[in-house]
Amino acid sequence: TAGLDIFVLERKTQLNRVQTHANRMAGAFTAATTAFSVTNFGFLPALVAWLWPSVLIVPFMYILMSKQRKIAT
């Protein structure tokens, strides 16, 4: 059983690494999209240019991450 415990621990660690990587990639994408929006979308009001990427991307990534967590367990 010790070998099985190590396998399960390694699997959880690997899944945690994948989830952490995906979360960081989503954060970087949101930041890059915000920077592009603020720089290039001068026709938008400043508050909208700053907030629209977060309003759209964060809930979408939350849904994807929660589905991925359910599949992993």
Side-chain angles (χ1 to χ4, degrees):
T1 59
L4 182 61
D5 291 341
I6 291 171
F7 175 75
V8 171
L9 181 62
E10 287 178 5
R11 178 172 162 76
K12 287 183 179 180
T13 303
Q14 182 64 25
L15 290 174
N16 188 23
R17 287 180 190 163
V18 170
Q19 288 173 348
T20 301
H21 177 72
N23 286 335
R24 289 178 178 172
M25 290 292 292
F29 178 71
T30 304
T33 305
T34 301
F36 182 83
S37 170
V38 169
T39 303
N40 295 309
F41 295 166
F43 57 89
L44 290 175
L47 189 61
V48 173
W50 277 98
L51 295 179
W52 79 264
S54 296
V55 169
L56 292 179
I57 296 170
V58 171
F60 178 70
M61 293 309 297
Y62 178 78
I63 291 167
L64 286 178
M65 292 298 148
S66 61
K67 285 184 180 181
Q68 197 261 345
R69 257 184 252 126
K70 287 179 185 176
I71 291 170
T73 56

